[in-house]
Amino acid sequence: MMRMMRLHAKALAQLLTGLLAWIAVTLVASRPAGAVVTGSIFGPGTQTIAVAVTPLVPPAGGAANAFGVEFARVLSRDLEFSGYFRLLDPRTFVQGSGGAADAIDYVGWAAIGAQEIVRGTIETSGDTLTVEAHLFDVAERREVGEAGRRLQGPRADLPRLAHRYADHLLEVLTGERGPFDSKIALVSRRGGTLKDLYAWTFDLSAPVRLTQEQSIVLSPSWRPDRRGILFTSFRAHRPRLFDVDVATRAVTAFTPAGAVYLGGAWSPDGSQVLATREQDGNTDIELLDRFGTVMQRLTDHWGIDVSPAWAPDGTRFAFCSNRSGAPQIYVMNLDGSGVRRVSSVGSYNTSPAWSPKGDRLAWTTRVDNGFQIVVANADGSGARTITTAGSNEDPSWAPDGRYLVFSSARGGWRTLWLTDRDGRTLKQLTPGNGDDSQPTWSTRLD
Amino acid sequence: MRPSLCALSATPRYALLCVLLLIVGGCARRASGPRPGDAGTGGVVEEGLGPDDSSLDLARQGRTSGEGTVLRDVHFPFDSDEIDDASRAALDGNAAWLTDNAKTRIELEGHCDSRGTVEYNLALGARRARAVQEYLVGQGIAAERLTTNSYGKELPVCREETEECWARNRRVHFATGKQ
């Protein structure tokens, strides 16, 4: 009897051990390698997730239509640009978006290397499109619930539905919403030999022209409501600031005749403009109200003071000055006080840009005879050069404070490129035959 | 014959023809006066009297400005508005011509090489133009004959990424025009 009890005890112990082990293994293995770890944050470019984006189908079934195909195309581009994903070739797909979720062939998807699948429906009703998009994890064989989204908008805004979903997927994956539902304004000579203002969104190939100035156009700055863009034009022989209405393309003067301005930047709240004024060979930074009237002169120095860049809280700005003998980056309070230099490495630093998160600055630094992009903390510490190939200038931050767009001359053309603040991801945005420069990233569209 | 050439011609023979051309050219130009406030949609709003052969006007025609035959370009070191000895020689030559042709009005255009960013180079070009203006006034040229402008690195005479091309672009160009 005692031996029986000992045997039973031993079996029970073994059973309990096995049970505990099974529980432990199940807990540990509930996130097998390769699955989406929701809410994790890792830099783009360190590892990529293999994703299959299937064209959306009508809710009633049937093959994907043009809207569904286009949604998938734009979403795929955004995910590719983000640097977090590797897009699988649609020609290898084992299934489309049709059919029930419980009919997903996870084995087949795994066989082509997919880790995530985007599926969904798109419905047209009058002018309104309704998208239901879902993300499925191959290893876990289930939907990632928090990644499912219902999006609605007019037909003409189809690309925005895809951008919004891409931004949402990035939020689910990294905790930070993506930047793709936004616009980039830039200067380009694509239309001829003289520069004009252009706009670009992530679903486009080439930028769209906004002005026909027949002169030199420089230094665009988005008004925060994105309805207007402030820019410098030589149309009146000497540079002045003008505003272009994005919807009507009407150009109106912003600064008055008789004053020379080299560039301007809208405040984050759209109430003021910091502008570079030139008089008698000297440049200084002025504060203007939203009608272009001078309120205050902020720098009063014999040196070159240019390129003001607002801090997102509107209380300070960065600028470029050669008051020390060569161009460096400085920060000043909006009342003109507290000037301090923030660039400490390199002999030539220009074009500051302040992250919308407030925590970082980017600028252009001269290296040999070319230029590279630097990212630093807002006080200038921790400066790192994040580009190496080609000559790279004029960084502008994305609304998420993670990505930057800049102008790069490599391979003979100057085009726009995307990177992240650690310089790990690198993607070309605009096609060759460019001469694209001075990009500026808008706020998010909603 | 372009009116701008008239400014350089000291020959009385063509004076009448030049005057006629200038009158005709001047009338056409003055038709679009400055309009503060509304700059309209497209088109060029001329403000004041810019020279006919400004680098921008030439660029609109798909041409570059050239580096000056009678009035030579004045050159500068990198990131500098300092007039060195070689430039002083060119400037003195230009000043002598300007003294001999006392009616000629000049726009001093500041330019930069392609290195350096857009706004900084606009400012540097303005300093270069100002430096030349001050020098010429110091040589006795009446200030009202001289205007300044800066194109930064926007209107280069060459685009090669070489020391030689960069040096050519770091300049103040003398643009003449209707007088």
Side-chain angles (χ1 to χ4, degrees), chain B residues 76-98:
Chain B
F76 293 85
F78 178 69
D79 194 27
S80 166
D81 59 355
E82 186 196 312
I83 298 170
D84 58 23
D85 292 337
S87 295
R88 198 166 294 115
L91 265 176
D92 288 341
N94 292 352
W97 188 94
L98 285 170

Side-chain angles (χ1 to χ4, degrees), chain A residues 218-258:
Chain A
L218 301 169
S219 301
S221 169
W222 283 99
R223 204 162 67 215
D225 67 4
R226 297 177 307 278
R227 296 213 185 102
I229 302 172
L230 191 69
F231 66 100
T232 307
S233 173
F234 279 70
R235 55 156 52 202
H237 187 63
R238 285 191 183 76
R240 280 167 53 186
L241 303 187
F242 294 82
D243 174 89
V244 61
D245 184 296
V246 175
T248 66
R249 309 291 164 88
V251 175
T252 51
F254 185 78
T255 54

Side-chain angles (χ1 to χ4, degrees), chain A residues 189 194-195 212 214-216 218-219 234-240 242 250-251 253 257-258 262-263 276 278 280-283 302-304 306-307 320 322 327 348 350-351 366 369 371 393-394 438, chain B residues 36-47 50-51 54 56 59-60 62 78-79 107 114-124 126-127 130 147-151 153-155 159 163 166:
Chain A
R189 288 169 56 210
L194 294 177
K195 286 182 171 178
Q212 308 257 358
Q214 299 171 51
S215 80
I216 300 164
L218 301 169
S219 301
F234 279 70
R235 55 156 52 202
H237 187 63
R238 285 191 183 76
R240 280 167 53 186
F242 294 82
V251 175
L262 308 187
T276 303
E278 188 268 313
D280 301 324
N282 192 35
T283 49
W302 54 265
I304 290 176
V306 293
S307 303
C320 170
N322 75 347
Y348 191 116
T350 61
S351 295
R366 185 162 161 255
N369 283 316
F371 290 88
E393 296 181 27
D394 293 329
Q438 296 193 286
Chain B
D38 185 359
T41 56
V44 175
V45 174
E46 280 297 326
E47 182 183 292
S54 75
L56 180 55
R60 287 184 180 120
F78 178 69
D79 194 27
E107 178 142 291
S114 62
R115 299 169 294 173
T117 45
V118 167
E119 250 172 72
Y120 184 81
N121 278 334
L122 281 179
L124 179 58
R127 294 183 79 85
R130 173 73 177 186
T147 55
T148 59
N149 202 352
S150 169
Y151 294 109
K153 62 175 184 173
E154 304 307 312
L155 298 177
R159 288 187 183 271
E163 286 287 355
W166 290 326

Side-chain angles (χ1 to χ4, degrees), chain A residues 87-102:
Chain A
L87 276 297
L88 294 175
D89 184 348
R91 290 169 298 183
T92 65
F93 288 0
V94 300
Q95 285 176 310
S97 266
D102 56 11

Side-chain angles (χ1 to χ4, degrees), chain B residues 1-172:
Chain B
M1 178 159 58
R2 291 185 45 101
S4 59
L5 290 174
C6 297
L8 299 175
S9 165
T11 321
R13 194 181 226 176
Y14 294 111
L16 184 59
L17 182 59
C18 286
V19 166
L20 287 171
L21 281 169
L22 284 168
I23 290 169
V24 169
C27 285
R29 197 62 80 110
R30 235 165 271 127
S32 61
R35 277 193 302 270
D38 185 359
T41 56
V44 175
V45 174
E46 280 297 326
E47 182 183 292
L49 300 171
D52 289 340
D53 65 349
S54 75
S55 293
L56 180 55
D57 283 332
L58 292 167
R60 287 184 180 120
Q61 302 161 36
R63 297 158 58 193
T64 57
S65 73
E67 289 149 90
T69 45
V70 176
L71 289 167
R72 291 159 50 202
D73 281 2
V74 172
H75 294 93
F76 293 85
F78 178 69
D79 194 27
S80 166
D81 59 355
E82 186 196 312
I83 298 170
D84 58 23
D85 292 337
S87 295
R88 198 166 294 115
L91 265 176
D92 288 341
N94 292 352
W97 188 94
L98 285 170
T99 305
D100 290 344
N101 297 271
K103 294 260 183 1
T104 312
R105 295 158 69 104
I106 299 289
E107 178 142 291
L108 302 165
E109 302 178 346
H111 296 266
C112 300
D113 70 32
S114 62
R115 299 169 294 173
T117 45
V118 167
E119 250 172 72
Y120 184 81
N121 278 334
L122 281 179
L124 179 58
R127 294 183 79 85
R128 287 174 173 161
R130 173 73 177 186
V132 168
Q133 182 187 45
E134 287 179 343
Y135 185 88
L136 290 172
V137 169
Q139 298 293 89
I141 309 299
E144 25 326 334
R145 295 176 62 190
L146 305 170
T147 55
T148 59
N149 202 352
S150 169
Y151 294 109
K153 62 175 184 173
E154 304 307 312
L155 298 177
V157 290
C158 55
R159 288 187 183 271
E160 297 81 31
E161 299 287 311
T162 61
E163 286 287 355
E164 191 251 336
C165 177
W166 290 326
R168 286 168 63 199
N169 281 322
R170 293 192 301 267
R171 64 195 182 117
V172 166

